[in-house]
Amino acid sequence: MNGFLARASRHVGFEIGAVLLLLLVGTALASLFWTPHPIDALNMRAKLMPSSAAYPLGTDHLGRDVLSRIMVGAQTSITVGLIAVAIGLTIGVALGAWAAARGGWVDEALSRTSDLIFAFPAVLIAILITSVLGASAQNAILAIAIFNIPVFARVTRGAALAMWSRDFIRAATAMGQGPLGITLRHVLPNIASVLIVQATIQFAVAILAEAGLSYLGLGAQPPVPSWGRMLRDAQTYIFQAPELAVWPGLAIALAVLGLNMLGDGLRDLLDPRLRLLRVG
Amino acid sequence: MDSLSRRHLFGAAGMMMGALATLSVPGTEALAQGPAKDRLVIGMSLEPPVLDPTKNAAAAIREVTTPSIFEALGRIDRTGAVGPGLAESWNVSEDGKEYVFKIRQGVKFHDGETLDASVVKFTLDRLFAPDSTNPAKSLYTDIEKVEVVDPSTVKVTLKSPNSFLLYSLSLGDAGIMHPKSAPTNDKNPIGTGPFMFKERKEGDSITLVKSPTYRDPGSIKLNTVIFKIVKDPSAQVSALLAGDVDAFPGFQAPELVERLTKDPRFVVIVGTTEGEVILATNNVKKPFDNPKVRQAMAHAINREELISAESGFGVPIGSHFAPHNKAYVDLTKTYPFDLAKAKALLAEAGYPNGFEASLKLPPVGYAQRAGEVLANQLGKIGIKLAITQLQWPQWLSEAFKERNYDLTIVAHTEANDLDRYARDGYYWGYNSPEFKAKWREVVAATDFAKRDQILKEAQQIIARDAVNGYLFQLAKIGVWKKDLVGLWENAPTPQLDLTGVYWK
């Protein structure tokens, strides 16, 4: 582990990514206990105010503090991203590992199904799901989770197949261990690093997708703050208060950038050879 | 859907502008302003689904076609009053049950057909026929029969007196159509108006040109009118600034008005509409079936804050009636803003800690803004609203048709739409024998001064019952180039009268 930290301290991209992620998580955690102003306190006399000591990032069209809403928006992004990726990871890894272990028609069927889902743009599927089921944060999570499943299934299958041809697994088979036991005891621990890297990257994709859905009015519903929705609200005030669009835009960009850099960094640090396996 | 047009009314301004118009030497101005002095590009936010106002309720159809293409027996002027249209004059019998219309002579349709009493009878018969699909059919069901007296006279007999009949016969829904062209009017509208349909580019624009068959061609100054559809509010501003659009009579984004008022090329005219923005409430659903709950909500609504969220555009209302109407009575103080009173009423109703409810919002700016503000205001008395944003088709089916909603916010943009409170099965679920009786009095009143008095009482009944949350009257924000004259300042009806419009 010391070796990892030593290498990490020399990897600039990883460090920047880690700092941005800490900032994101720290902001979200802090907002659970404290925000400069209550997030839904309207103040019509102080709407569209520029930055000031009382309102560091100014106020929005209903006189609400933008900083407080950005902070709570981080919560929304993390919650939606984390749950969606967790669902996608659990189901995707299970399916991918099953396909690799079982082979044959199971593998064929799962691979073709994931090809089919890949053929549609992910955001389009998400829009479809949220319009059919109704707009809400839960349905946004569901939609994002669904297009995460084939990503994880495919990565897991590829990495697991490579494992299954290794000698120590053949030895385990020869010793009479079943496919489930081998998958849990040998395959998954050995491909964990690939999955961690992929999960980090998918987390970034999920945050972007949540922002996109909220921008279209299909994600988190008001008055819950969401960066995408803040961007949408700011759009019509672009002539009067352009900075209103800058802050949520910047927050989305930094969060996504941070997670991508972290993911790339992790990939380099955990196993440089894994570079070739990246999907999505 | 009939009363709920998806947007505010069009219409627009100009008397003041006409008075202020400076005189100039004709020749020099034409040189300075370039060639486009008989061409007008009007921006619209919503596209008409078809072009026949007798087939579909969308307000956008009336803006394009009435009275430019289709004219009715009466004509609604810029104050909302009814004057002669295709009927030169009319007589109403003492008991209010017989209307005799004198039809204007020498009127030709765009395809050369002639207007006579039989054409009028054809149009009117279609309105109230049992198989009528007219979106405003209920306005005409008091008609018993229509008779041709002679080629220029039509007699309409009613089952019972209806004081709104003349107004109803002046709407686009009663536009006079020829039996020959009626079936194809949705795609290729042919009427008697000053402009005729030239072409439509779906999703982009509709072009009208001056009609050579119009009875008074000299009065029409414009040769070409193009309705350009621009949905996004920011794009509407860009279109104006770039000169792609000359006028937006019904500008949808109050927050962007400031940008335009600073520009010396444009005038911004703030007028009134018939659009009452209400917090529509499902009166048959618990806990909203309890009048105390609705009254508590009325006490918790802060209209000043709501109007401020509209960038200050809008007039507070306390009932379902437009403040510019002469029968209007100010009822905003029926349940004044008072949180303590609101909480007390909620406690009396059995909800001392409030309750949870859903608020379904259609995709329009005013509803989105008012929705967030109201969720906050009602939150202060413990009513927690979960907001859901819907698209129009979803809103129409879930909230309006299936009545599967607690609360929603929408503008009711038609004139005289108090009758909705007397309808059975309307989406609010309001059922008051007292109001129904009052409304029958309104409809049957033959004396207009007396009718106004009864209308005031009708407003009071629904305000007292707090049927819906009454928020504010939408403003009509008109933006156009400063040398354009004659557009209506107010929108008493969703029509766009271009007969008096010209470039100075």
Side-chain angles (χ1 to χ4, degrees):
Chain A
M1 206 56 201
N2 278 334
F4 177 83
L5 286 178
R7 275 186 291 138
S9 68
R10 286 194 303 273
H11 195 293
V12 181
F14 175 82
E15 289 194 322
I16 297 176
V19 169
L20 288 175
L21 180 67
L22 280 177
L23 195 67
L24 176 71
V25 175
T27 309
L29 286 178
S31 72
L32 288 174
F33 306 103
W34 176 82
T35 51
H37 296 268
I39 51 159
D40 49 3
L42 307 183
N43 183 358
M44 288 303 172
R45 275 170 207 87
K47 60 181 184 182
L48 301 175
M49 297 246 288
S51 298
S52 65
Y55 302 102
L57 302 184
T59 60
D60 71 2
H61 62 294
L62 299 175
R64 299 173 297 196
D65 179 40
V66 173
L67 177 62
S68 307
R69 295 182 67 78
I70 294 269
M71 288 174 70
V72 181
Q75 262 183 50
T76 313
S77 290
I78 290 182
T79 317
V80 171
L82 216 53
I83 301 178
V85 171
I87 298 174
L89 183 89
T90 315
I91 302 177
V93 167
L95 291 175
W98 184 35
R102 180 71 167 69
W105 68 267
V106 173
D107 186 19
E108 197 62 27
L110 287 172
S111 300
R112 293 297 82 80
T113 312
S114 76
D115 284 349
L116 192 72
I117 299 181
F118 268 119
F120 293 96
V123 175
L124 200 66
I125 299 185
I127 291 174
L128 193 76
I129 292 171
T130 43
S131 349
V132 171
L133 299 180
S136 72
Q138 286 91 324
N139 291 339
I141 290 175
L142 188 69
I144 298 169
I146 286 176
F147 72 69
N148 266 307
I149 294 173
V151 175
F152 284 107
R154 188 174 274 206
V155 171
T156 308
R157 177 185 170 275
L161 271 182
M163 282 297 146
W164 278 97
S165 63
R166 296 282 195 87
D167 288 341
F168 72 97
I169 298 222
R170 293 185 183 184
T173 318
M175 284 166 70
Q177 291 193 26
L180 182 65
I182 293 177
T183 300
L184 292 176
R185 228 164 293 151
H186 302 295
V187 176
L188 290 184
N190 275 298
I191 63 170
S193 55
V194 193
L195 295 177
I196 291 171
V197 171
Q198 192 64 43
T200 315
I201 299 199
Q202 287 310 118
F203 191 19
V205 174
I207 287 183
L208 204 56
E210 190 277 327
L213 289 175
S214 295
Y215 176 81
L216 296 173
L218 297 169
Q221 295 295 302
V224 175
S226 148
W227 293 342
R229 192 175 159 81
M230 289 174 76
L231 211 51
R232 167 198 169 113
D233 287 343
Q235 182 178 282
T236 48
Y237 296 89
I238 200 84
F239 293 111
Q240 285 155 279
E243 68 277 8
L244 264 185
V246 171
W247 304 124
L250 204 61
I252 296 168
L254 287 180
V256 173
L257 181 75
L259 283 164
N260 271 315
M261 291 180 88
L262 190 77
D264 282 356
L266 274 174
R267 189 188 55 209
D268 294 346
L269 293 168
L270 290 171
D271 188 346
R273 284 167 300 162
L274 292 176
R275 216 183 280 254
L276 299 172
L277 288 169
R278 192 179 159 198
V279 177
Chain B
M1 166 71 192
D2 53 338
S3 65
L4 296 153
S5 40
R6 301 177 171 190
R7 44 178 326 207
H8 331 157
L9 310 183
F10 255 44
M15 282 171 127
M16 288 299 290
M17 296 173 53
L20 293 170
T22 47
L23 291 167
S24 60
V25 185
T28 54
E29 187 168 27
L31 278 175
Q33 299 284 343
K37 290 282 97 178
D38 56 1
R39 183 172 171 274
L40 175 63
V41 183
I42 295 175
M44 303 178 73
S45 336
L46 280 179
E47 183 172 16
V50 294
L51 293 171
D52 182 344
T54 67
K55 289 199 179 120
N56 188 300
I61 302 173
R62 282 131 190 90
E63 285 152 16
V64 172
T65 63
T66 315
S68 296
I69 298 176
F70 296 114
E71 298 173 286
L73 287 179
R75 189 182 186 101
I76 298 169
D77 71 8
R78 61 175 72 223
T79 66
V82 175
L86 288 181
E88 268 173 354
S89 62
W90 48 78
N91 275 310
V92 186
S93 69
E94 196 73 9
D95 63 357
K97 285 168 82 169
E98 263 182 31
Y99 288 69
V100 178
F101 292 95
K102 200 82 193 151
I103 309 300
R104 202 179 284 277
Q105 291 301 286
V107 174
K108 292 244 186 268
F109 281 83
H110 301 147
D111 59 357
E113 297 290 336
T114 309
L115 174 79
D116 61 21
S118 68
V119 174
V120 173
K121 177 175 159 59
F122 165 79
T123 303
L124 301 190
D125 281 343
R126 280 199 332 158
L127 296 177
F128 64 94
D131 59 347
S132 160
T133 54
N134 194 294
K137 182 181 179 182
S138 66
L139 297 178
Y140 310 107
T141 42
D142 280 340
I143 301 178
E144 190 187 351
K145 60 181 179 198
V146 179
E147 292 158 293
V148 175
V149 178
D150 63 57
S152 66
T153 313
V154 170
K155 187 167 106 182
V156 176
T157 311
L158 303 185
K159 295 173 202 154
S160 56
N162 185 324
S163 62
F164 292 107
L165 187 80
L166 283 175
Y167 190 87
S168 303
L169 288 178
S170 307
L171 295 173
D173 307 82
I176 301 292
M177 295 181 181
H178 197 276
K180 213 177 88 184
S181 46
T184 53
N185 275 341
D186 50 350
K187 293 247 172 343
N188 180 29
I190 292 174
T192 57
F195 295 95
M196 54 186 228
F197 173 72
K198 187 175 169 219
E199 66 168 335
R200 167 172 195 181
K201 291 185 192 136
E202 298 249 356
D204 178 68
S205 64
I206 294 162
T207 306
L208 311 185
V209 292
K210 186 170 162 178
S211 164
T213 57
Y214 187 60
R215 55 188 176 272
D216 184 11
S219 67
I220 306 302
K221 305 284 195 303
L222 299 169
N223 269 331
T224 310
V225 178
I226 298 166
F227 293 91
K228 178 106 185 131
I229 291 123
V230 188
K231 289 183 178 142
D232 179 67
S234 324
Q236 293 174 355
V237 175
S238 307
L240 280 164
L241 295 178
D244 296 340
V245 167
D246 298 317
F248 254 104
F251 189 67
Q252 300 279 296
E255 65 276 14
L256 293 172
V257 168
E258 200 186 314
R259 173 72 184 80
L260 293 163
T261 47
K262 285 181 194 149
D263 197 313
R265 288 175 294 165
F266 301 105
V267 288
V268 176
I269 307 279
V270 180
T272 59
T273 68
E274 281 288 335
E276 294 88 15
V277 180
I278 60 168
L279 175 66
T281 307
N282 196 339
N283 278 240
V284 290
K285 199 164 168 183
K286 269 192 182 317
F288 305 104
D289 57 342
N290 187 332
K292 287 208 168 86
V293 169
R294 300 198 302 267
Q295 288 165 7
M297 287 163 56
H299 275 301
I301 292 170
N302 180 347
R303 297 187 182 92
E304 194 191 329
E305 211 168 71
L306 285 162
I307 292 169
S308 176
E310 287 294 302
S311 306
F313 295 102
V315 179
I317 50 170
S319 185
H320 195 109
F321 212 71
H324 63 215
N325 194 307
K326 61 181 191 310
Y328 172 77
V329 43
D330 183 356
L331 294 165
T332 50
K333 292 285 173 284
T334 311
Y335 299 105
F337 178 59
D338 184 344
L339 289 179
K341 195 92 179 276
K343 277 186 191 146
L345 278 165
L346 263 193
E348 272 180 53
Y351 301 93
N353 301 316
F355 54 86
E356 287 178 20
S358 75
L359 174 62
K360 295 189 172 173
L361 298 179
V364 276
Y366 63 81
Q368 302 277 324
R369 286 183 288 264
E372 284 202 56
V373 177
L374 272 177
N376 182 277
Q377 293 179 352
L378 294 180
K380 287 178 184 155
I381 58 167
I383 302 177
K384 287 180 205 65
L385 296 184
I387 296 178
T388 317
Q389 299 167 83
L390 302 179
Q391 296 302 310
W392 273 119
Q394 282 176 304
W395 186 89
L396 283 169
S397 63
E398 273 181 42
F400 191 64
K401 292 210 182 82
E402 294 162 25
R403 291 189 264 159
N404 171 23
Y405 77 105
D406 295 337
L407 300 166
T408 180
I409 296 173
V410 76
H412 281 250
T413 59
E414 304 228 331
N416 304 321
D417 51 11
L418 263 180
D419 75 297
R420 271 72 177 173
Y421 290 82
R423 285 188 194 176
D424 288 320
Y426 204 57
Y427 78 114
W428 308 314
Y430 177 62
N431 187 1
S432 154
E434 181 191 4
F435 185 85
K436 282 180 180 159
K438 188 61 72 184
W439 190 252
R440 274 194 296 275
E441 277 184 56
V442 170
V443 173
T446 41
D447 170 8
F448 278 25
K450 192 174 155 231
R451 186 181 80 178
D452 287 353
Q453 188 49 45
I454 313 169
L455 270 172
K456 285 182 184 170
E457 291 161 24
Q459 293 168 54
Q460 270 151 357
I461 294 174
I462 57 164
R464 182 201 67 205
D465 287 355
V467 182
N468 296 307
Y470 300 103
L471 310 179
F472 55 89
Q473 196 77 20
L474 280 178
K476 193 194 87 70
I477 305 171
V479 183
W480 49 83
K481 291 199 175 143
K482 70 170 185 351
D483 46 357
L484 185 67
V485 182
L487 283 169
W488 287 4
E489 173 173 292
N490 299 318
T493 172
Q495 299 181 0
L496 197 56
D497 192 333
L498 296 172
T499 44
V501 177
Y502 62 97
W503 292 97
K504 71 175 184 217

